[in-house]
Amino acid sequence: MIRARRARIVATLGPASRDPARVRELAQAGADVFRVNFSHGSQADHARTIAAVRRAEAAVDRPLAVLADLQGPKIRLGEFADGVVRLKAGQDLRLDMKRTPGDASRIGVPHPEVFAALRTGAFVLLDDGKVKLRVVGHGPDYADTVVEAGDQLSDHKGVNLPNLSIPIPALTEKDRQDLAFALQEGVDWVALSFVQRASDMAELRKLVQGRAGVLAKIEKPAALESLDEILDLCEAIMVARGDLGVELAPEEVPVFQKKLVRAARLRGLPVIVATQMLESMTHSPTPTRAEASDVAGAVYEGADALMLSAETAAGDYPVEAVAMMDRIITRVEQDPRWPELMRAEYPVEDADADALVAAARKASESASTACIAAFTTTGQTALRLARERPLQPTLGLTPNLSTARRLALAWGVEPRVIPEIFDPEDLARIAVEQAVLTGLAPPGARVLILAGLPLGSPGAANILRLAHTPRR
């Protein structure tokens, strides 16, 4: 099942979509990666969900990736005596460590890290920014604030501290247990929430030990201050506009989105743009025109993948949301201006491998070239090629199923599992067979072959060959 588009679709699974039949429908509609959100549900739920993805993979006959999204250290309020409270602008409000139910004069925030990070004049945002507090005094276990924007609050709403780095571990005990479970279940990618510093990713990499790809969710402004160091330690990133949009002014979010997409593309890291892409389709069969433009904008920027959250996890129209995103992406990629925008935005490097990959992209521009066959063990050759944004599709041919599944996230790569190759003379035959089998190459078309010798050894691509499909 070949998709007529380069950008990929990530669909979040939840109560509305984790049934095996529905997962298969989502894959048939165009989903490439399935996100399992460990903020909700039990491990037993997640095990059934992952099994459903594996069954769907067999049904559509192409590799599908499972992305385990760890909850991370989400900071939340305590409880209220009446379950709810309304705050008014101008009133005083104390935050403290007490676990007794709160009221309109004080709220429990059982997180010492919050008070360690606070500064006089800093702002505290509650419930995704609906309530805004300004700190006028603080200590190790309390903060006196003035309400600048009031609203109704209920138990356990989220807390954000814009422009402050919170000394809190990136991986909670729950995350560690969920990570061990996810790796045992054979997930392909692991996403770390609320990354603030490079050491957060270093800790995740140490625990994963190469058993899955590691992905940094950029949703804290603090992460932007050490972005290069974070990118050094991850294999993909997600522009998580939900929490990022809480702590940044609305006009800043699209600027930072473009900055993050560009930074990932320069390094050849897959980048996902996420949150509220087709939000209205949670309860409507069609999106707003603004949402369609938002999806299109991310495609024009060159994002590797776009993600659906509530639209597929809890919405009334999960399959329709995936199909709509597929249609928008496909239409954008038919725009005559789209190819020029896909030109890679990075300086020419002297490395032989990158020069050869650049030559493959250049050679693929010939009208007679149908596709590029990239033979890869770890996936790096296919990812280097995706970095170049070749307009012809890339066949990512690998003997490793885990590699093929990870490549389901990569821009323009059609991953396929092949038998291990030992004789270099078999490269052309297998490349042509796969190009014909997938329907990417018609009779008499040219197939470019990119590979590295010795075969089966991880390393840089060092050969570029041409082959032709048989003429009828």
Side-chain angles (χ1 to χ4, degrees):
M1 182 179 177
I2 294 292
R3 293 134 302 166
R5 55 176 163 79
R6 306 294 179 265
R8 300 315 186 198
I9 296 174
V10 182
T12 303
L13 297 177
S17 56
R18 59 184 173 221
D19 176 79
R22 183 54 56 87
V23 175
R24 183 176 64 252
E25 289 180 73
L26 292 171
Q28 290 169 336
D32 305 287
V33 180
F34 289 91
R35 172 178 173 248
V36 180
N37 187 358
F38 279 79
S39 295
H40 307 285
S42 67
Q43 289 187 353
D45 291 332
H46 301 323
R48 288 190 290 271
T49 299
I50 294 168
V53 175
R54 298 312 185 204
R55 288 197 290 272
E57 179 180 70
V60 298
D61 195 26
R62 62 180 169 86
L64 300 173
V66 175
L67 167 63
D69 193 339
L70 302 178
Q71 176 176 298
K74 182 74 173 180
I75 299 172
R76 298 187 182 277
L77 299 174
E79 297 179 349
F80 294 98
D82 297 324
V84 67
V85 69
R86 177 167 288 279
L87 302 178
K88 297 181 179 179
Q91 76 168 81
D92 296 330
L93 179 69
R94 169 163 282 210
L95 308 178
D96 59 37
M97 289 280 295
K98 297 177 183 177
R99 294 187 177 272
T100 54
D103 53 32
S105 64
R106 62 154 294 275
I107 302 176
V109 182
H111 299 277
E113 302 87 355
V114 168
F115 301 100
L118 285 178
R119 302 289 183 268
T120 300
F123 291 101
V124 180
L125 304 179
L126 309 178
D127 193 10
D128 291 338
K130 294 175 183 175
V131 173
K132 183 177 183 180
L133 313 177
R134 177 170 50 85
V135 178
V136 295
H138 63 92
D141 59 357
Y142 77 93
D144 290 323
T145 73
V146 174
V147 178
E148 299 230 332
D151 203 340
Q152 180 173 290
L153 278 180
S154 55
D155 298 343
H156 308 303
K157 291 301 184 183
V159 178
N160 291 85
L161 306 180
N163 303 316
L164 294 177
S165 180
I166 307 172
I168 191 169
L171 286 160
T172 65
E173 184 56 37
K174 177 185 181 326
D175 293 329
R176 292 174 182 274
Q177 294 174 5
D178 288 340
L179 175 61
F181 166 80
L183 293 174
Q184 178 182 319
E185 291 293 316
V187 303
D188 308 296
W189 289 92
V190 176
L192 183 59
S193 299
F194 305 109
V195 172
Q196 296 188 87
R197 54 190 76 86
S199 59
D200 296 340
M201 291 306 300
E203 183 178 5
L204 179 66
R205 287 178 69 98
K206 183 178 180 181
L207 294 171
V208 172
Q209 296 183 337
R211 289 172 286 175
V214 293
L215 183 153
K217 291 176 67 179
I218 307 299
E219 50 195 332
K220 300 286 290 182
L224 302 172
E225 298 174 7
S226 54
L227 183 60
D228 286 339
E229 292 81 3
I230 291 171
L231 294 180
D232 286 341
L233 293 170
C234 64
E235 294 163 289
I237 68 168
M238 180 189 297
V239 186
R241 302 182 303 181
D243 277 88
L244 189 63
V246 172
E247 300 199 15
L248 288 175
E251 66 272 16
E252 296 291 341
V253 175
V255 176
F256 277 98
Q257 174 178 317
K258 291 182 182 299
K259 177 180 179 180
L260 291 168
V261 171
R262 188 175 300 115
R265 284 194 58 189
L266 285 172
R267 290 173 175 261
L269 299 176
V271 52
I272 303 170
V273 176
T275 316
Q276 297 178 335
M277 302 224 72
L278 295 176
E279 182 78 3
S280 66
M281 288 195 74
T282 305
H283 301 298
S284 170
T286 58
T288 67
R289 302 304 179 262
E291 288 168 341
S293 293
D294 182 38
V295 171
V299 178
Y300 280 120
E301 288 173 22
D304 288 77
L306 288 71
M307 193 174 94
L308 296 164
S309 299
E311 301 97 326
T312 53
D316 298 327
Y317 303 94
V319 176
E320 291 84 351
V322 170
M324 176 58 69
M325 182 168 276
D326 179 86
R327 286 165 53 193
I328 297 169
I329 295 172
T330 301
R331 177 62 186 88
V332 169
E333 294 180 0
Q334 293 170 350
D335 182 351
R337 284 206 61 219
W338 174 74
E340 66 185 75
L341 297 175
M342 289 303 100
R343 303 310 180 201
E345 299 175 356
Y346 68 96
V348 175
E349 298 180 9
D350 294 329
D352 292 340
D354 287 329
L356 196 64
V357 170
R361 190 267 302 162
K362 184 69 175 176
S364 73
E365 294 175 357
S366 167
S368 61
T369 300
C371 65
I372 307 172
F375 289 85
T376 181
T377 301
T378 64
Q380 286 305 307
T381 297
L383 288 172
R384 287 193 186 102
L385 197 52
R387 178 192 187 192
E388 288 276 348
R389 297 298 191 257
L391 299 182
Q392 300 297 348
T394 296
L395 270 171
L397 303 178
T398 177
N400 300 325
L401 178 58
S402 59
T403 295
R405 286 170 170 167
R406 290 187 203 180
L407 287 174
L409 180 61
W411 189 97
V413 177
E414 289 289 345
R416 290 294 184 273
V417 179
I418 59 169
E420 191 167 4
I421 301 175
F422 299 98
D423 186 348
E425 295 304 314
D426 289 334
L427 291 174
R429 175 180 59 81
I430 292 177
V432 168
E433 285 178 357
Q434 289 294 320
V436 172
L437 183 64
T438 55
L440 291 178
R446 185 167 71 167
V447 177
L448 289 176
I449 301 168
L450 189 64
L453 296 178
L455 294 172
S457 300
N462 54 24
I463 60 170
L464 180 62
R465 294 182 179 176
L466 296 176
H468 291 82
T469 59
R471 296 183 181 275
R472 288 176 181 168

